[in-house]
Amino acid sequence: MSTEWNDPGSAPPYDPLTDPLTDPLSDPLPAFPGGAPGHERTHERAPERDDCADTIDLRLTEELIEFLACEPPSPAQPGPAFGSDLLDGLADWGPVATDVGPFQLVPVRIERDLRLITQWMNDPAVAAFWGLSGPDTATAGHLRAQLDGDGRSVPCLGVLGGVPMSYWEVYRADLDPLARHYPARPHDTGIHFLVGRVADRGRGVGTLLLRTVADLVLDRRPACCRVVGEPDLRNTPSAAAFLGAGFRLTAEIELPDKRAALMIRDRVLRGVL
């Protein structure tokens, strides 16, 4: 029996010594002689190289960035053993050095700090976004709601070079009503702040201190992988400070009292932002 195909129009058998190798992805396969029983002689076109997306050109989705950003500290390098309260002993975080002097978060004491914070809250530039202008009872009620709570939010004075010059609220964003408005993760930590001294505004001090406090949170709270901010979209200086401090704008969210810019600073990106 002859080993050659009987169809005179078909190609001779493949000879590995004389025939060049073909690319199986680009060259069509020869038809089965006479066709397979019960099937038409059809050819499937192999995909051209231009049909396939090169993975180097694919963009990371926001969801993947969010997933990669939440990388817990290595077990080989555990964080320091702070207190068991919800914010890991914030009162004991102590001072840190900055380019503008030593800075420390000092938890508020109403009997000592109410008059100063009330004065700041009545500054028109602050009142427009905090909504606490008026008698000191308005400010006192706002502070007591946190101080008499379970510790998920701690109001603090920002003391720079021994002088109180800003007000801060460090809070557990994952335990806050804010968590209903974004995909919160365990131990997300939020920051509210205002620069009280007019002389410290517009010079980049707020941005520097916001980065300092975000770094403090990440250093002192080893379980926290993200620091969160939600400034009012109308508050351009505040939003700019968050961006300058290494936060990224991830969404605009509708809160009960404002439309906010959701800002997030990721632990794993802190060295590049």
Side-chain angles (χ1 to χ4, degrees), residues 73-96:
S74 168
Q77 298 178 333
F82 295 104
S84 59
D85 64 298
L86 293 175
L87 284 166
D88 296 309
L90 185 151
D92 300 321
W93 288 3
V96 291

Side-chain angles (χ1 to χ4, degrees), residues 112-134:
R112 179 193 63 197
D113 306 321
L114 179 59
R115 177 179 295 180
L116 178 61
I117 298 174
T118 299
Q119 177 184 330
W120 291 342
M121 291 298 181
N122 279 278
D123 182 325
V126 173
F129 301 106
W130 284 77
L132 290 173
S133 59

